[in-house]
Amino acid sequence: MENSRIVASQKLSRLFENEPKPLSGFLKSAVKTEKLVTSLNMAEKYGGPPYTYGALANTFGIFDQDLREFQSTLPLPDKYLGKKVNIYDLLITMDYNQNTKEYIINFPILDSLIFTKDFKYYNKISASPKQNFVNLEKRTGENVGEWSKEYYTENTFFTVYYDPYRDLYIRHYREAISESEFESLKSNSFKMLDSKNKNYLLFLDRNGKQFHTMDVSEFNHLYVHFGKEGMYILNDTELENEDSLTFSLFTIERK
């Protein structure tokens, strides 16, 4: 876009088994001036027999400003390999640190955040409220209808943000709900912003030092952004009037 006008557009897809497949299994892409980084065909690769995570390559696509694709790979972490598939576990999210030129990658089941500049070499920091926060024992990988239940009745790391104004990483994690709570929510239009869902933001520095944990269960925690003034979180959990949105502003001080 230039001056609020669309000057070029292209649907990003990938040829897989001789047919185009849409982008899938991704909540947030990392965008900077000259590149767009996104995931490719995750659900299509794992959403069928043998329903087991393997070390498949080319799970990420990097596109330049002319939308030409670079060759790139992001092997799945060891914790995935040989385990049963739950496609919800592949809702990978990212952000970008302009200061260090690093992509920050959040895998929903990993205690660590992953960092890379070139998708060839990786670093990580511990970023978890406790070790082995996510338990994969309940994953069956065999019944698509059970994937959401398995996912929401276990802990998960939902997404990651980078606050460039205070040089902080903020990891959003969600605690498990019980099977009875899941069934209740599912029968009520599956309201995952219900107060039964306990969601938190974990604030860390680039060395993994934890500064604060914030309960955001009462807010619309799907809409979080950062400015010079602090952190904004959407108040409206129902989105009844999208023409007029109100945010709460939280100031952040590093001590």
Side-chain angles (χ1 to χ4, degrees), residues 100-167:
T100 62
K101 311 299 182 185
E102 288 180 311
Y103 295 93
I104 311 148
I105 305 170
N106 177 77
F107 285 92
I109 67 171
L110 292 185
D111 289 336
S112 301
L113 287 173
I114 308 297
F115 299 84
T116 184
K117 293 182 178 180
D118 53 13
F119 290 87
K120 295 179 181 178
Y121 303 98
Y122 302 92
N123 295 310
K124 64 181 181 180
I125 61 171
S126 177
S128 176
K130 64 178 182 179
Q131 190 174 5
N132 297 322
F133 182 65
V134 182
N135 184 354
L136 294 179
E137 292 180 0
K138 295 181 180 179
R139 304 295 197 259
T140 67
E142 296 174 358
N143 188 338
V144 175
E146 291 292 304
W147 281 346
S148 60
K149 183 177 181 179
E150 292 175 0
Y151 177 81
Y152 284 106
T153 54
E154 182 50 69
N155 301 330
T156 191
F157 296 103
F158 188 73
T159 192
V160 64
Y161 303 98
Y162 175 64
D163 177 0
Y165 301 97
R166 285 150 290 266
D167 193 26

Side-chain angles (χ1 to χ4, degrees), residues 12 63 68 70 83 95 110 142 188 204 219 250 252:
L12 301 181
F63 298 84
R68 292 175 299 185
F70 290 95
K83 303 294 185 180
D95 211 335
L110 292 185
E142 296 174 358
N188 186 23
L204 315 100
F219 295 90
F250 298 87
I252 303 173

